[in-house]
Amino acid sequence: MKLQELQPDSKINITVTRGDTSATLSTTMVTAYGESILVEPFRHNGNIVSFDAPDLHIELVATKEGEIPYVWKNVRIDRVTYDNQTYQSISTGTIGVKLNRRGAFRVFIGDPGSVIDAKTKERHPVRIKDISSSGIGFLIDKSADLNYELGTGLAVIFVDDDLNQDFELLTRVVRRVELEDSNQILYGCMYTKRYPKVDRYCATKQVRSRQQAKKNNK
């Protein structure tokens, strides 16, 4: 998908990385603008954020309720004036890819965990569905759903006792799906920073899974 093919009111989430540090910001799309899109300015403490700095890597995820998110790996953000209003223009030379079609290997977990809302700091129990090198999914009963909006920042926490590893992963919500065949809601989250530890964990789990499958087939 081309960036300018996004629909107005799409939720725009970006992860800005420079060296070993990263930050996440959210806003909404206003309109297509030539080969770019205009968005409400990204703000921090009420001030418009400037992206005029060297060595920035900006990744964008666009979400709309009930639809599959799209991701653009490299985008540029500039401040512009349009109809006497201040906006920010986002452009890119890349094509957006559906988030659920990324090549990352998914590992089934199925164990209990918890999430902490970045704003309210409230902690709630969930069940971790699966994990990959780029994101994690968890399930929550419909009766206990907290109605996390797309773009909500969450810390997702769980422990793998078999491998003696624990995780606290900083994420943002990119998908919410009510499962028709159960009373659960699936939340899909994307990391807001890179986790080499997760890459190693997924590889180890994949090897363990293959070894177990071989034993079961003997």
Side-chain angles (χ1 to χ4, degrees):
M1 174 187 278
K2 294 181 179 179
L3 191 63
Q4 62 268 29
E5 292 176 339
L6 288 173
Q7 295 298 310
D9 297 330
S10 292
K11 187 77 171 179
I12 305 298
N13 305 284
I14 62 170
T15 298
V16 184
T17 304
R18 187 180 187 186
D20 295 330
T21 62
S22 63
T24 60
L25 298 165
S26 300
T27 189
T28 54
M29 176 180 168
V30 176
T31 186
Y33 184 67
E35 295 185 353
S36 63
I37 61 172
L38 294 184
V39 300
E40 294 292 342
F42 293 97
R43 295 181 182 273
H44 179 68
N45 294 331
N47 299 315
I48 296 178
V49 177
S50 172
F51 300 94
D52 186 17
D55 302 322
L56 290 184
H57 174 79
I58 306 175
E59 182 175 295
L60 181 152
V61 176
T63 55
K64 202 169 181 68
E65 191 70 39
E67 298 182 7
I68 296 173
Y70 277 80
V71 59
W72 284 261
K73 290 294 184 181
N74 290 283
V75 304
R76 175 185 173 87
I77 304 176
D78 299 290
R79 185 166 174 169
V80 299
T81 300
Y82 178 77
D83 282 347
N84 297 319
Q85 298 291 323
T86 298
Y87 299 102
Q88 284 179 313
S89 169
I90 303 180
S91 57
T92 181
T94 63
I95 298 297
V97 178
K98 285 184 178 180
L99 196 60
N100 70 330
R101 289 184 179 177
R102 60 186 184 272
F105 177 80
R106 284 184 165 273
V107 174
F108 174 74
I109 303 297
D111 293 333
S114 60
V115 297
I116 300 176
D117 190 304
K119 288 185 177 180
T120 66
K121 308 303 180 184
E122 293 181 351
R123 184 167 183 156
H124 298 279
V126 299
R127 183 161 293 277
I128 307 300
K129 179 179 181 290
D130 52 31
I131 188 173
S132 75
S133 61
S134 56
I136 190 167
F138 66 84
L139 298 165
I140 189 169
D141 290 341
K142 291 180 180 179
S143 60
D145 184 31
L146 300 166
N147 293 309
Y148 291 127
E149 295 182 353
L150 301 182
T152 298
L154 297 174
V156 183
I157 302 166
F158 75 97
V159 176
D160 186 322
D161 291 325
D162 291 336
L163 295 181
N164 193 30
Q165 293 196 48
D166 59 275
F167 295 89
E168 182 170 344
L169 307 169
L170 302 181
T171 73
R172 63 173 178 269
V173 176
V174 296
R175 195 177 184 195
R176 178 183 181 277
V177 180
E178 294 192 18
L179 302 181
E180 297 180 357
D181 56 348
S182 73
N183 66 338
Q184 294 181 310
I185 293 175
L186 169 65
Y187 281 95
C189 299
M190 188 174 182
Y191 307 133
T192 60
K193 59 181 292 187
R194 301 184 188 281
Y195 287 103
K197 177 181 178 181
V198 172
D199 296 339
R200 296 190 295 270
Y201 173 74
C202 289
T204 302
K205 291 286 281 188
Q206 184 178 12
V207 171
R208 288 286 186 91
S209 178
R210 288 174 178 172
Q211 290 175 342
Q212 187 62 46
K214 288 182 180 179
K215 288 181 179 180
N216 293 338
N217 290 330
K218 287 182 178 180

